[in-house]
Amino acid sequence: MSIAEHNLPESLNREGDWRHVFAYRPMEVQIERAEGVYIYDKDGNQYFDASGGPMACNLPHGHPRMKAAITAQLDRYAYTHPTLADPIRAEFCRKLAEITPGDLDHAHLVCGGSEAVETAIKIARQVQLNRGQTDRYKIISHRDAYHGMTLGAMSASHIPGAQSVFTPMLQKWPSIRQYSDFDRPAGTSREEWGVTCARELEAAIHYAGESTVAAFMATPHGCGADYACVPPDSYWRTIREICDLYGVLLIADEVVTGFGRTGKWFGMDHFSIDPDIMAMAKGISSAYVPFGAVSVSSRINQPFEEGVPFVHGFTNQAHPLGCAAGCELIDIIRDEALLENCNTQHERLFGHRDALLEHPTVKDVRGWGLMMVLELVRDKDTMEFFDREVGAEKLLQGIALKHGLVFYGSLYTPTRSPALQRGLPIWVSPPLSINGGEIDDLMARVEASLSEWESATL
Ligand SMILES: Cc1ncc(COP(=O)(O)O)c(C=O)c1O
């Protein structure tokens, strides 16, 4: 059945309102306002914001304290030159140091995830220079990794479709397999497989040339087709050991997992090891304003504190509105016990797992905290998704809108990379303040959308 036959919402008039917006193909929903877990369109229709955009909203829309904190800062001053002593910057970095793992106590503040990753890469290079390791510049990462859209972040990402456009402009840095439960050999435990997968880092360091590798960068959980597949402790423990053995820095990309998404402040808190550098964004301000951060350990900070200049900086770095939003967000997570709520509501959310798995297209339901990924396939045995011509993603997106549901997976529609061809990942990542009733409402909409989509496509 085609999209037109399915009586889905009209497309926007791209010749009209959106004509002057560069390369923008918006979904049909024209946003009027957002409140709590819901978005409302101009006709008053209500949509459940199932994934908070691209997993960016750790707080509900319109939180009064966030609005008040940002407005209060706006009243004091919105912006001054970043080199002036700005007390809200110091205050945010102090609060951040209280919650970051280990001694990651010193932060450089930016405006988003790609900037944070780019900054982390540049810090890694300068740290190696500080150590006299002038040949070290390569960043090893996971094969299907996504770390952002700036050129450095893309060099550390490995998404074939997107990479090919910019090939001549990107670094050819090595990548390794990530931990996956799908290719774990029968009879091999998760812990054993974790060690085997991590050992690929050692091979990649040898392959790249031991003296040329600056850092290994990864998200705490799986990426690409294995998104939200959480590795065992042995994986990160072995990665840490290999990094230490070869003088390679460990960068954790916590852009998605930071600020309570997984039920702890950071994803790496689930493993008993500390990274050297950590990139953060999204949940850091719940996307109320653009913001991001990179935290480094005291050892890394020391030469910079003693005078080595960091060759970096943006006009909007450490923006006072971002700092005000970030300070308030940390306080709200504490005051409203949102880490605790995330863990409680995890049970409620994943209590729907068995019902979801009964759907003929739901191959897997995985994740941690309030990050759930549904992997949708056409065939559960082969794990294949629908052929591109079927337009199954677009159809699901349209059906979900009819059921009052906006989620992230469908937004990959036109450019979904081959890495994701195994199944269509659907992200469910509501605010950490969600209650049980809202979770049931959300899941009812997900199930209704899936059922209608299945009867249209299978
Ligand atoms: C793991 C990860 N790192 C970095 C980024 C880039 O963040 P941003 O889109 O804020 O530039 C993303 C974005 O989705 C991400 O998922």
Side-chain angles (χ1 to χ4, degrees):
M1 190 180 287
S2 75
I3 295 163
E5 282 171 294
H6 220 78
N7 192 25
L8 296 177
E10 287 288 303
S11 285
L12 293 166
N13 176 9
R14 298 205 174 99
E15 299 306 310
D17 293 351
W18 312 101
R19 185 171 36 158
H20 300 293
V21 187
F22 175 68
Y24 185 50
R25 293 178 189 78
M27 287 166 77
E28 287 78 0
V29 177
Q30 279 201 58
I31 303 157
E32 184 81 13
R33 67 190 176 88
E35 201 182 318
V37 292
Y38 299 108
I39 297 169
Y40 298 86
D41 71 13
K42 63 181 183 9
D43 302 317
N45 296 313
Q46 184 206 59
Y47 303 88
F48 206 112
D49 190 4
S51 52
M55 291 171 279
C57 303
N58 288 12
L59 296 182
H61 295 293
H63 196 297
R65 282 181 59 179
M66 289 297 280
K67 290 198 280 191
I70 295 165
T71 312
Q73 181 57 39
L74 201 50
D75 286 342
R76 283 192 290 275
Y77 54 95
Y79 178 81
T80 61
H81 194 284
T83 57
L84 291 175
D86 179 6
I88 191 78
R89 181 201 289 214
E91 175 66 358
F92 176 72
C93 291
R94 185 187 65 75
K95 284 184 188 238
L96 185 61
E98 282 174 8
I99 61 170
T100 41
D103 70 339
L104 292 173
D105 288 345
H106 313 274
H108 182 92
L109 307 179
V110 294
C111 291
S114 301
E115 269 187 24
V117 165
E118 203 71 28
T119 303
I121 290 172
K122 289 176 75 176
I123 291 176
R125 165 69 180 158
Q126 275 202 252
V127 169
Q128 297 293 4
L129 288 182
N130 294 344
R131 294 175 177 175
Q133 300 284 321
T134 51
D135 290 340
R136 290 188 184 256
Y137 67 96
K138 294 177 188 166
I139 310 291
I140 300 179
S141 55
H142 281 147
R143 203 151 289 149
D144 291 343
Y146 178 73
H147 293 295
M149 275 293 168
T150 50
L151 292 175
M154 283 191 81
S155 292
S157 301
H158 298 278
I159 299 180
Q163 306 291 112
S164 62
V165 178
F166 299 102
T167 302
M169 302 162 81
L170 301 179
Q171 295 285 318
K172 289 183 181 49
W173 289 333
S175 60
I176 62 168
R177 79 180 312 143
Q178 64 184 324
Y179 179 85
S180 171
D181 284 316
F182 283 100
D183 54 12
R184 178 158 53 95
T188 305
S189 71
R190 276 173 54 81
E191 289 291 323
E192 288 164 349
W193 188 230
V195 174
T196 306
C197 294
R199 287 254 162 255
E200 276 213 5
L201 176 59
E202 190 166 34
I205 292 171
H206 288 309
Y207 176 78
E210 212 176 304
S211 60
T212 67
V213 180
F216 171 66
M217 173 156 61
T219 52
H221 59 86
C223 51
D226 283 292
Y227 204 95
C229 178
V230 181
D233 282 353
S234 65
Y235 180 77
W236 280 110
R237 205 173 45 241
T238 310
I239 291 282
R240 181 72 266 183
E241 283 165 13
I242 294 169
C243 285
D244 290 344
L245 188 62
Y246 292 95
V248 169
L249 296 162
L250 177 54
I251 305 174
D253 179 344
E254 294 256 8
V255 167
V256 170
T257 40
F259 299 90
R261 173 57 57 203
T262 68
K264 293 185 185 275
W265 280 109
F266 296 97
M268 292 307 279
D269 290 336
H270 293 267
F271 310 101
S272 339
I273 60 127
D274 300 325
D276 301 298
I277 303 174
M278 207 164 88
M280 297 155 271
K282 296 191 192 252
I284 193 172
S285 62
S286 196
Y288 273 72
V289 288
F291 198 42
V294 182
S295 286
V296 303
S297 67
S298 300
R299 202 156 54 104
I300 286 185
N301 181 56
Q302 196 183 356
F304 295 97
E305 195 169 281
E306 288 167 359
V308 172
F310 180 34
V311 188
H312 196 55
F314 301 110
T315 300
N316 285 318
Q317 72 190 37
H319 198 284
L321 298 183
C323 294
C327 283
E328 196 63 18
L329 180 129
I330 291 174
D331 288 349
I332 292 172
I333 290 183
R334 284 189 172 128
D335 294 347
E336 297 184 9
L338 294 185
L339 298 183
E340 293 79 353
N341 192 59
C342 180
N343 290 314
T344 306
Q345 299 306 338
H346 166 88
E347 299 300 329
R348 182 80 167 232
L349 183 63
F350 281 79
H352 291 264
R353 188 168 185 270
D354 289 348
L356 288 165
L357 285 170
E358 277 178 23
H359 281 264
T361 58
V362 180
K363 172 68 188 178
D364 194 32
V365 177
R366 56 178 178 262
W368 49 0
L370 285 173
M371 177 202 276
M372 176 192 255
V373 165
L374 280 65
E375 186 170 350
L376 305 186
V377 294
R378 179 183 54 76
D379 184 326
K380 283 196 186 183
D381 293 329
T382 63
M383 292 185 74
E384 281 167 356
F385 193 64
F386 297 92
D387 290 339
R388 198 167 273 265
E389 307 79 65
V390 178
E393 296 103 316
K394 183 83 182 157
L395 190 61
L396 177 57
Q397 175 186 292
I399 289 171
L401 288 178
K402 273 200 337 185
H403 287 278
L405 183 68
V406 178
F407 58 84
Y408 182 35
S410 59
L411 306 185
Y412 273 121
T413 301
T415 52
R416 206 155 64 88
S417 90
L420 299 179
Q421 288 297 340
R422 189 176 78 196
L424 177 70
I426 298 293
W427 279 267
V428 175
S429 50
L432 309 182
S433 56
I434 194 166
N435 63 42
E438 288 167 338
I439 285 187
D440 295 344
D441 178 19
L442 166 57
M443 285 293 116
R445 295 177 197 229
V446 169
E447 287 225 44
S449 304
L450 283 175
S451 297
E452 189 174 338
W453 180 63
E454 283 156 356
S455 46
T457 49
L458 291 178

